Amino acid sequence: MAIIDPRHAAKQLIYERIFRACTLSAAILVLLILGGVAVSLLRGAWPAVAHFGFSFVTREVWNPVTDEYGALAPIFGTVVTSLIAMLIAVPTGFGIALFLTELCPPLLKRPIGVAVELLAAVPSIIFGIWGLFVLAPVLQRHVQPWLIDHFSEIPALGDLFKGPPYGIGILTAGVVLAIMVLPFIAATLRDVFDTVPPMLKESGYGLGATTWEVIWHVVVPHSRVGIVGGVMLGLGRALGETMAVTFVIGNAHRISASLLAPGTTISSAIANEFTEAVGDLYTSSLIALGLLLFLITFTVIAVAQAMLRRLERRGMSAA
Amino acid sequence: MNRRPLRKFKNGAFLALSLIATLTGLACLAAILWTLLSHGLAGMSWHLFTEMTPPPGGQGGLLNALYGSAVMTLLGILIGSPIGVLAGTYLAEYGKSSRLSTVIRFINDVLLSAPSIIIGLFIYEIVVVHMGHFSAIAGALALAVLAIPVTLRTTEDMLNLVPVGMKDSSAALGAYPWRTTLSVLYPAARSGIVTGLLLAVARISGETAPLLFTSLNNQFWSTNLNAPIANLPVVIFQFALSPYKDWQNLAWAGALIITVSILILSISARVLLALLQSDRGGGR
């Protein structure tokens, strides 16, 4: 029987306190980082906010020569490209998730799942260079002329497809974004669908429902919260994505009705212009754009996480 | 009235659509890899690893960019991962269900998906503005901030996988939690934590946006951490958008190098994780 040396015990207690303090301060640092991001962006954006006031978000003008800046065109571009991306990626991601959870032969489940996750690991700059050199020419030669031929004569809808096929522009950026967020949406939805208790699905089949009916009337209603959360997580990615968009957006600070026209987004404006910005007001306006992006994406991601968490808790209490 | 044919048709149609969606996703990955291989392999040569980035029209390689990327990624991991691991330890061992931990977990998940360009602006504001110039150390700090959430998340998950019995046995021997953590939990969760590090390296080594206004770029060889440094992502960005053919070729070669290394990293992380799970008999 070892005799406990009181000095040894005291030393152990000190080590314990030190270790605990280290881990606690590392954890607190995570909070400080988020706070630091908010404070530093606010401070950097302050000159622009003080100078332009609320009109910063309502004006389309972006003129470094006269030192006048408004965020409306980048906000418009960010929202429209993300919308296009979600219109394409949500149904496709939904399909992939369904395929992986309900249809896929077990042997292929893992390889296909890993392939989708690898698509998520490809850095965004690769999507950008691929979009510029491969996707944009294809869209320019084949897809955009077709859209112009078939839709530009239709009133109202036609305005979306007017003008020459540049190849680069809002539509191309939306398509590249769709491919980028697709794996995130597919992987999240797959995990969400996996939380549906097999018992529920079996009851559906027992009543004679087809696979699709079980999916639509059992799986989807049961995982509604998770689906919305997963989609919003993808939206958060799309809104903040920088490099892939910067390559193919065309960087034009104007709002045009046509999806084929070049435009700009918040993140691509910052990436393109920040190092070239001269003058405090120019730099500050770009940081103000960053602040806007931070507020938008933070809200979207926070809501998405809250919804996914709710699903997790429900899944745990049901199990 | 017999609705069976209609129902069967609807079923077939939607299942076919989901198959098409999956094939589309796989085709995108294949198309990207194919483009990278066909363009990138043409530019592959020893010059890439022995020469500096050239002026337009000149012969050259990517040595300075490869070196800069390696240094900043390594520094980013060295700074970021200890913080992530320690914070993950706190969440898993000390503050398991406290309110603070709930908030930290939430914030960490938000940071995990936050746009990296915002992190770049943050480091610009707190480091570059104060130092007065762009520098390698600022780039490394930006990457470190991006590495923290990844390592934190995996560390917490992996520590939670360690059987409670092991922890209890250590406590029964009279060990304080710190001793248990260092001598029992970390060794037991080692391969899981290493997986997190690999994932973090994969995540930060392709990041471009946060480096644009922290480390910037450098046409020349530089080992000075206090000066702008060349790095692969920014070089790819600048060279790909340039009108010069040989710069574009270098960009493709760089893109191939970066993608292949990241894919290898993520695959090995996955293999490691699969081994870990089969060790535990597939248990979570």
Side-chain angles (χ1 to χ4, degrees):
Chain A
M1 183 83 196
I3 298 162
I4 296 170
D5 175 2
R7 272 203 323 229
H8 177 75
K11 227 156 80 186
Q12 287 288 312
L13 194 62
I14 292 171
Y15 288 147
E16 172 61 24
R17 292 217 172 108
I18 294 174
F19 186 72
R20 195 195 154 97
C22 282
T23 61
L24 180 63
S25 42
I28 302 270
L29 191 66
V30 175
L31 293 184
L32 289 183
I33 287 175
L34 193 80
V37 171
V39 169
S40 65
L41 286 181
L42 257 178
R43 216 181 47 186
W46 186 247
V49 174
H51 191 268
F52 296 112
F54 188 68
S55 72
F56 182 71
V57 290
T58 57
R59 297 201 315 163
E60 193 189 330
V61 62
W62 189 270
N63 192 337
V65 181
T66 57
D67 238 8
E68 280 189 276
Y69 308 98
L72 198 58
I75 294 175
F76 173 82
T78 303
V79 171
V80 174
T81 49
S82 300
L83 268 182
I84 298 174
M86 297 320 275
L87 278 178
I88 301 172
V90 169
T92 318
F94 188 80
I96 294 179
L98 281 188
F99 181 81
L100 284 175
T101 48
E102 308 293 335
L103 290 178
C104 189
L107 198 66
L108 286 177
K109 205 165 174 168
R110 219 184 144 83
I112 295 182
V114 169
V116 170
E117 281 163 27
L118 283 186
L119 192 61
V122 174
S124 63
I125 188 160
I126 305 298
F127 285 94
I129 173 169
W130 181 77
L132 179 65
F133 288 99
V134 180
L135 187 67
V138 170
L139 289 180
Q140 182 176 26
R141 265 181 239 130
H142 305 292
V143 180
Q144 294 186 347
W146 185 85
L147 286 172
I148 294 170
D149 287 348
H150 288 79
F151 291 105
S152 62
E153 299 304 315
I154 305 170
L157 185 69
D159 287 338
L160 292 178
F161 304 104
K162 281 230 161 66
Y166 288 106
I168 54 173
I170 298 270
L171 180 67
T172 312
V175 175
V176 173
L177 273 183
I179 301 174
M180 277 214 68
V181 297
L182 178 62
F184 292 104
I185 295 184
T188 322
L189 289 188
R190 179 194 57 187
D191 295 346
V192 166
F193 290 160
D194 272 339
T195 63
V196 178
M199 189 94 80
L200 288 180
K201 286 192 273 187
E202 297 302 333
S203 332
Y205 287 120
L207 289 172
T210 62
T211 310
W212 171 252
E213 284 163 349
V214 168
I215 290 163
W216 195 245
H217 296 292
V218 177
V219 175
V220 169
H222 187 268
S223 43
R224 203 181 305 131
V225 183
I227 295 175
V228 177
V231 167
M232 292 196 63
L233 207 58
L235 180 62
R237 291 265 173 186
L239 289 168
E241 180 44 49
T242 310
M243 298 322 291
V245 175
T246 307
F247 273 90
V248 294
I249 190 81
N251 202 35
H253 275 276
R254 60 164 186 266
I255 298 174
S256 40
S258 174
L259 297 181
L260 308 183
T264 189
T265 68
I266 296 179
S267 50
S268 70
I270 303 173
N272 261 318
E273 298 172 38
F274 198 82
T275 40
E276 291 159 16
V278 280
D280 290 342
L281 201 57
Y282 195 178
T283 309
S284 170
S285 298
L286 286 168
I287 296 179
L289 280 183
L291 181 65
L292 276 175
L293 181 65
F294 174 72
L295 294 176
I296 299 171
T297 50
F298 182 86
T299 316
V300 171
I301 298 171
V303 171
Q305 290 295 352
M307 296 187 100
L308 288 172
R309 246 150 243 264
R310 223 170 85 190
L311 182 83
E312 222 165 78
R313 271 207 304 276
R314 206 179 57 185
M316 259 149 68
S317 62
Chain B
M1 205 164 81
N2 187 5
R3 290 180 52 209
R4 197 145 168 262
L6 180 72
R7 287 174 54 208
K8 284 191 88 168
F9 172 76
K10 234 168 117 180
N11 187 42
F14 280 112
L15 297 188
L17 281 179
S18 88
L19 179 65
I20 291 173
T22 310
L23 292 178
T24 313
L26 294 178
C28 288
L29 181 64
I32 289 171
L33 290 181
W34 169 249
T35 314
L36 279 176
L37 281 175
S38 60
H39 285 70
L41 280 181
M44 277 294 155
S45 72
W46 277 119
H47 297 299
L48 288 181
F49 305 101
T50 55
E51 288 175 32
M52 308 299 146
T53 45
Q59 256 271 327
L62 295 166
L63 180 62
N64 48 347
L66 287 167
Y67 172 80
S69 274
V71 166
M72 280 195 292
T73 307
L74 192 71
L75 271 178
I77 284 293
L78 283 180
I79 301 170
S81 63
I83 298 173
V85 169
L86 283 175
T89 310
Y90 178 80
L91 293 186
E93 300 307 322
Y94 289 111
K96 218 159 175 72
S97 50
S98 72
R99 173 163 278 182
L100 177 70
S101 306
T102 316
V103 173
I104 290 173
R105 261 181 221 117
F106 187 77
I107 297 294
N108 191 63
D109 281 353
V110 170
L111 281 178
L112 201 60
S113 344
S116 54
I117 192 163
I118 300 284
I119 305 299
L121 285 178
F122 166 56
I123 298 294
Y124 173 86
E125 277 291 312
I126 64 164
V127 180
V128 178
V129 167
H130 287 281
M131 287 170 70
H133 57 85
F134 299 103
S135 65
I137 195 72
L141 281 174
L143 296 182
V145 172
L146 290 165
I148 291 174
V150 186
T151 42
L152 190 157
R153 182 72 182 273
T154 32
T155 305
E156 192 199 350
D157 288 351
M158 293 304 147
L159 288 179
N160 281 334
L161 287 181
V162 178
V164 187
M166 285 174 80
K167 228 188 318 183
D168 290 346
S169 336
S170 171
L173 289 174
Y176 275 100
W178 75 272
R179 178 50 95 182
T180 307
T181 306
L182 292 184
S183 312
V184 178
L185 297 180
Y186 282 168
R190 191 173 46 213
S191 42
I193 296 175
V194 171
T195 307
L197 293 189
L198 289 181
L199 287 177
V201 173
R203 166 86 204 267
I204 65 176
S205 54
E207 281 293 351
T208 317
L211 296 181
L212 284 172
F213 9 93
T214 50
S215 74
L216 202 64
N217 195 1
N218 194 334
Q219 192 80 43
F220 306 102
W221 175 259
S222 164
T223 55
N224 185 355
L225 290 182
N226 200 16
I229 196 166
N231 59 88
L232 211 42
V234 176
V235 166
I236 295 174
F237 178 50
Q238 290 183 346
F239 280 19
L241 285 176
S242 78
Y244 313 110
K245 195 75 201 140
D246 23 72
W247 271 20
Q248 288 181 7
N249 288 341
L250 276 176
W252 280 111
L256 180 63
I257 295 175
I258 227 172
T259 312
V260 168
S261 12
I262 287 176
L263 290 187
I264 289 177
L265 275 171
S266 347
I267 292 175
S268 22
R270 252 159 255 284
V271 169
L272 206 61
L273 209 61
L275 286 180
L276 187 78
Q277 272 170 358
S278 65
D279 271 1
R280 296 252 166 76
R284 282 164 56 87

